């Protein structure tokens, strides 16, 4: 169980790192939590930002994000995005 928790923490940190770097909001990294809203709540995350974020996540985690994955549920919060990344990492194992 510790491995899953550790992986989840690592992916959460990675998602926050990629998110803040992609959107140019590194100064806010410390205030971002699982509950931080994304699309519709972060003004920097517009439709182009979502595409750039997805590409950066693919590079960082070596995953593939399909067009069908671009849903409001996935990009609702940092937590839902982290859960999605975790699900892709688990599927790749």
């Amino acid at each position: 169980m510790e491995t899953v928790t550790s992986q989840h923490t690592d992916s959460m940190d990675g998602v926050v790192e990629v998110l803040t770097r992609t959107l140019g909001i590194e100064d806010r990294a410390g205030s971002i939590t699982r509950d931080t809203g994304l699309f519709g709540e972060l003004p920097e995350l517009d439709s182009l930002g979502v595409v750039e974020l997805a590409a950066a996540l693919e590079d960082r985690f070596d995953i593939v994000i399909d067009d069908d994955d671009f849903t409001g549920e996935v990009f609702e919060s940092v937590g839902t995005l982290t859960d999605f990344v975790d699900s892709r990492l688990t599927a790749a194992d």
Side-chain angles (χ1 to χ4, degrees), residues 9-20:
T9 301
D10 291 346
S11 55
M12 172 75 182
D13 291 345
V15 167
V16 170
E17 177 188 335
V18 170
L19 174 72
T20 56

Side-chain angles (χ1 to χ4, degrees), residues 18 51 53-66 70:
V18 170
V51 173
L53 177 59
L57 289 169
E58 287 179 326
D59 289 344
R60 167 69 167 79
F61 291 102
D62 194 27
I63 60 174
V64 174
I65 301 175
D66 298 318
F70 286 93

